[in-house]
Amino acid sequence: MSNLQISLAVVGVVLLVLIVAYNSWSARRNAPKRSEPVDEAAQADPLRHEPGMDTVGHTSDLTKYQHEPVLGDFSKAVPGAEPLPMPEAGGRFAETDAELARLVAQEAHAQQQRHVVATAHGEMEDELQSGATALRTDAAMAQQANMAGAKQEPVFTEAPLAASVPPAASMERRGHLDALIDAIAPIQVGQAVPGEVAMQAQPSTRRAGNKPFAIEGMNQQTRQWEPLQAGQRYLGFQSGVQLANRTGALNEIEFSEFVAKTQRFADALSALPDLPDMLNEVSRARELDQFASEHDAQLSFMIRARQASWSAGYVQQNAGRQGFVPSSMPGRMVLPSPNAGMPPVLVLNYDPQAAVADDLDQSVVREFLISLDVAQVPRGEQPFAHLRQVAEQMCQTMDGVLCDQNGYLLPVSALDPIQHDLELLYDKLDSHELSAGSLLARRLFS
């Protein structure tokens, strides 16, 4: 072969190697980031440390010892004294034997001291117990003498018994129908109705079209409106249908269904319903729906990968560090509210197909959304500040960029005007008795 052919072959081999190396580097760079492995043993007991050959003695060079270990005479060790000298040829663990001898002697000395202290404490407890027994004996004798002198029969009253028995947990549930957002029809009955009878008479469905429908009773004992319960008696009833929600305002068809269900319930109890005027209630529903449409706010921020994509496991791991927990729906994680029974503060959504993959570290996620439903979260929890903090931290740790829900880059300076607008929105909701996070607001904006 000529020099030209050899040179061309070498150049070809070099180019091939460079291409393979570049492809490998590019694939590694663009591969989805995987979740960090979790050391289960370290989480179970972080203080546990398995012994190794490099932790037996205080020296790192143990290769010079080539014989079996020869233990020293522990009986000659004195607490606090230096370990007995051991010849280097005495064994591979000669230095360790001397250290171990000193530790065993110190433990024996400490055990003896504890035994002496325990004996002293035992004697003191015996003396105290004998004194307390004598006092109890004297007190018992004096009490018997007083009882013999009084010669009175014991009188039992109900007051001590009532005071000693703690009150049972209240199972009362207040009604949630409110004239502000509900069309209510009172139902009058001639006498108290058992809860079992009322529950059998109420409709099987709890909706009138797309609007929630409910029946409540006036409890005979508490004189409070509550959902129907067995074992209670009710002096009257009221049925209600919600005027508006996020599906729209109450229309004439839904109101007619509400009237029909109320009438059937009243007929089953031989009661008389007082139905509201349809035109008036439909007009109220439209006004309420108009107000809700103008003051409904749902914020969503998108976090997109800057360069390398993420795996579903990587997203879950970083979201879990911010307090998110998985929900029943795939690809959805929630940040729970500090108050039990309240809606989540924030919701994180990503590709549900990636969430149900067999291997979460192999599924690819390029973006995810963090959402805040303003009307569902109380103002005092500062949900927008929490949303902003979580978004900034996840962008920093995951090498992502903050965007709006349409994917356009969102500068940090644009978040301050949003905060100002939210404060104005909170004030308007408070002025209409629909404060964010309240029961009425959660029902209306649902």
Side-chain angles (χ1 to χ4, degrees):
M1 297 178 61
S2 63
N3 294 335
L4 179 60
Q5 293 177 340
I6 296 175
S7 300
L8 292 176
V10 171
V11 171
V13 171
V14 171
L15 289 176
L16 181 61
V17 171
L18 291 177
I19 292 174
V20 172
Y22 175 78
N23 291 335
S24 177
W25 173 81
S26 179
R28 187 181 299 107
R29 179 185 179 185
N30 297 323
K33 297 181 180 180
R34 301 182 180 182
S35 58
E36 299 177 359
V38 180
D39 190 358
E40 298 180 357
Q43 287 187 348
D45 188 1
L47 299 180
R48 181 178 178 182
H49 185 74
E50 296 294 339
M53 292 300 296
D54 58 341
T55 59
V56 175
H58 296 281
T59 176
S60 59
D61 186 10
L62 297 178
T63 57
K64 59 183 179 180
Y65 301 109
Q66 301 295 335
H67 301 282
E68 294 298 326
V70 178
L71 299 179
D73 189 359
F74 296 159
S75 61
K76 297 181 181 180
V78 180
E82 295 295 331
L84 296 176
M86 302 295 296
E88 181 176 350
R92 182 179 180 181
F93 301 97
E95 295 182 3
T96 305
D97 295 340
E99 182 72 13
L100 184 60
R102 187 177 63 83
L103 294 176
V104 170
Q106 289 181 352
E107 181 64 24
H109 181 69
Q111 183 71 19
Q112 183 179 3
Q113 294 295 331
R114 286 195 295 269
H115 178 70
V116 173
V117 174
T119 303
H121 280 290
E123 294 177 355
M124 294 177 63
E125 290 179 358
D126 294 339
E127 293 179 0
L128 292 175
Q129 184 175 4
S130 60
T133 303
L135 292 176
R136 287 197 298 267
T137 303
D138 295 341
M141 293 176 63
Q143 183 178 4
Q144 291 180 359
N146 294 334
M147 292 178 61
K151 293 182 179 181
Q152 295 180 356
E153 294 294 332
V155 178
F156 296 96
T157 62
E158 296 181 359
L161 181 61
S164 60
V165 178
S170 176
M171 299 299 294
E172 181 182 354
R173 291 179 56 191
R174 296 290 185 268
H176 67 278
L177 290 179
D178 193 291
L180 183 63
I181 64 172
D182 295 306
I184 301 177
I187 303 174
Q188 299 178 0
V189 294
Q191 59 183 359
V193 179
E196 293 80 1
V197 177
M199 293 177 65
Q200 292 179 357
Q202 68 178 350
S204 57
T205 60
R206 300 294 184 269
R207 302 192 73 84
N210 292 326
K211 306 301 181 292
F213 169 82
I215 295 180
E216 297 178 348
M218 173 67 73
N219 193 294
Q220 186 178 17
Q221 296 181 352
T222 62
R223 302 301 175 110
Q224 298 287 341
W225 293 107
E226 66 179 18
L228 302 182
Q229 300 180 22
Q232 304 292 334
R233 299 181 67 85
Y234 298 101
L235 301 176
F237 301 92
Q238 64 178 6
S239 64
V241 61
Q242 190 166 316
L243 294 175
N245 55 17
R246 281 176 173 164
T247 61
L250 180 73
N251 54 39
E252 291 80 359
I253 298 177
E254 294 172 336
F255 186 86
S256 300
E257 185 177 352
F258 157 68
V259 171
K261 290 186 175 183
T262 302
Q263 190 64 52
R264 285 196 297 267
F265 176 78
D267 293 342
L269 300 179
S270 300
L272 181 63
D274 184 9
L275 298 172
D277 181 67
M278 181 181 67
L279 297 179
N280 183 33
E281 297 302 323
V282 171
S283 177
R284 289 181 54 214
R286 292 173 180 172
E287 293 178 0
L288 183 61
D289 180 66
Q290 181 67 24
F291 172 82
S293 301
E294 295 176 353
H295 298 83
D296 191 4
Q298 295 174 283
L299 301 178
S300 295
F301 289 161
M302 177 185 293
I303 298 181
R304 300 177 59 183
R306 189 186 303 272
Q307 293 181 353
S309 59
W310 308 307
S311 65
Y314 186 75
V315 174
Q316 292 181 1
Q317 186 178 66
N318 284 273
R321 294 171 180 172
Q322 302 296 331
F324 287 87
V325 295
S327 66
S328 58
M329 299 176 58
R332 187 173 186 266
M333 301 182 70
V334 298
L335 183 64
S337 172
N339 301 320
M342 295 292 291
V345 179
L346 301 176
V347 178
L348 186 148
N349 291 284
Y350 62 97
D351 187 5
Q353 295 183 355
V356 297
D358 295 335
D359 189 358
L360 296 180
D361 288 336
Q362 296 297 330
S363 57
V364 178
V365 177
R366 292 287 306 176
E367 60 192 24
F368 59 87
L369 290 173
I370 303 179
S371 304
L372 165 63
D373 197 339
V374 177
Q376 298 290 326
V377 185
R379 182 180 189 176
E381 296 183 9
Q382 298 182 351
F384 182 76
H386 205 167
L387 170 63
R388 184 172 180 174
Q389 179 182 2
V390 169
E392 292 177 355
Q393 290 182 356
M394 296 191 72
C395 285
Q396 182 178 1
T397 57
M398 301 177 65
D399 191 21
V401 292
L402 183 64
C403 306
D404 61 7
Q405 58 183 357
N406 297 321
Y408 296 102
L409 292 179
L410 189 65
V412 180
S413 58
L415 301 180
D416 295 332
I418 299 177
Q419 176 74 37
H420 178 70
D421 294 341
L422 282 181
E423 295 299 330
L424 296 178
L425 175 61
Y426 285 134
D427 294 337
K428 291 182 179 180
L429 293 177
D430 293 341
S431 63
H432 288 76
E433 299 182 3
L434 293 170
S435 300
S438 63
L439 177 60
L440 294 181
R442 298 201 308 270
R443 290 180 55 206
L444 179 61
F445 299 97
S446 65

